[in-house]
Amino acid sequence: MYDPTVARLTYRALLGRRRALILGALPLLLIAISLAVRGLAGAEDQTAADVLGGLALATMVPIIGVIAGTGAIGPEIDDGSVVYLLSKPIKRPTIIYTKLIVAVAVTMVFSAVPTLIAGFILNGNGQQVAVAYTVAALVASIAYAALFLLLGTVSRHAVVFGLVYALIWEALFGSLVPGARTLSVQQWSLAVAQKVSGNDLVTSDVGLTTATVLLAVVTVLATWYAGQKLRSLTLAGEE
């Protein structure tokens, strides 16, 4: 279910000069802010949790997920080059799974790694804050990549819809409307992080079991449906 050629082309598309600059900007900003906060406030556990939760997990991870998930397939559909890929003797699910693996890997590298670095800068991983939020970023990367890969498959405005979900639904409604938090990848990943940290510095409005099930269901369903839409696109092209 993995094709090296598709993976190589996807990595090349995602890590091109322009997109790589965008992907690297937020991690660098997070680390710069962490250095400034550490210099001004010292090593404070609650401050570290606030920065990692508010900037890294709530903002950086979903935005990088949008860029990597939609960028893994959206541009190929927009410019029509996906037709050449679909004409090759590669199973459509293999294309989706390969692109998902690449999108997950890119999202993890550009979100989880800087989150860990920022956590150690902020408080040296006191109270397991850095590790907990890194695990949350890793878990969220999988679900975000699957969701935004699906968006890239079904819509030409996937980036816009992805940013609306990430910045308006999760960041705005998620903080104001309690019921919206149940349908939030951020809250699901926080439930896993809460288990890792074992303290009150990391909290979630969703239970661990519910969060784990929802993360798995969303990832599987989004990947499956993206494969189905790619099949439809192939049939339409052949017709």
Side-chain angles (χ1 to χ4, degrees):
M1 304 305 292
Y2 178 85
D3 187 273
T5 301
V6 174
R8 184 174 65 256
L9 293 173
T10 307
Y11 275 119
R12 185 180 301 172
L14 287 179
L15 300 178
R17 180 176 300 179
R18 182 182 301 176
R19 193 168 275 113
L21 288 174
I22 298 174
L23 285 170
L26 281 175
L28 290 176
L29 178 62
L30 172 64
I31 292 173
I33 290 176
S34 299
L35 287 168
V37 170
R38 177 63 184 265
L40 294 172
E44 213 284 316
D45 295 340
Q46 185 60 59
T47 301
D50 292 341
V51 172
L52 295 180
L55 180 57
L57 191 63
T59 304
M60 182 185 70
V61 180
I63 290 178
I64 290 176
V66 169
I67 297 170
T70 60
I73 195 169
E76 292 176 316
I77 294 177
D78 290 343
D79 63 20
S81 61
V82 72
V83 174
Y84 297 99
L85 179 61
L86 297 178
S87 66
K88 304 300 181 182
I90 306 173
K91 293 181 179 179
R92 304 306 173 252
T94 298
I95 295 174
I96 290 296
Y97 294 148
T98 301
K99 288 183 174 292
L100 175 62
I101 290 170
V102 173
V104 168
V106 170
T107 306
M108 285 182 173
V109 168
F110 283 91
S111 61
V113 173
T115 297
L116 182 64
I117 295 172
F120 274 96
I121 291 172
L122 287 164
N123 75 334
N125 195 37
Q127 301 290 320
Q128 292 292 308
V129 170
V131 171
Y133 276 103
T134 299
V135 170
L138 289 171
V139 171
S141 294
I142 300 172
Y144 281 133
L147 279 173
F148 298 136
L149 178 65
L150 171 61
L151 277 178
T153 307
V154 302
S155 174
R156 291 182 178 272
H157 307 289
V159 174
V160 175
F161 291 137
L163 290 175
V164 167
Y165 172 81
L167 300 180
I168 297 181
W169 176 263
E170 293 212 340
L172 181 59
F173 284 96
S175 62
L176 299 177
V177 183
R181 298 170 190 165
T182 306
L183 300 176
S184 167
V185 173
Q186 178 187 341
Q187 290 297 323
W188 303 341
S189 60
L190 280 173
V192 180
Q194 183 178 15
K195 177 67 175 179
V196 173
S197 67
N199 55 57
D200 295 334
L201 287 173
V202 184
T203 60
S204 173
D205 294 325
V206 182
L208 179 61
T209 301
T210 301
T212 304
V213 171
L214 289 173
L215 282 167
V217 168
V218 165
T219 301
V220 171
L221 286 181
T223 305
W224 172 81
Y225 192 61
Q228 296 304 305
K229 294 301 293 183
L230 199 61
R231 287 178 184 273
S232 300
L233 180 64
T234 305
L235 291 174
E238 291 173 352
E239 292 173 357

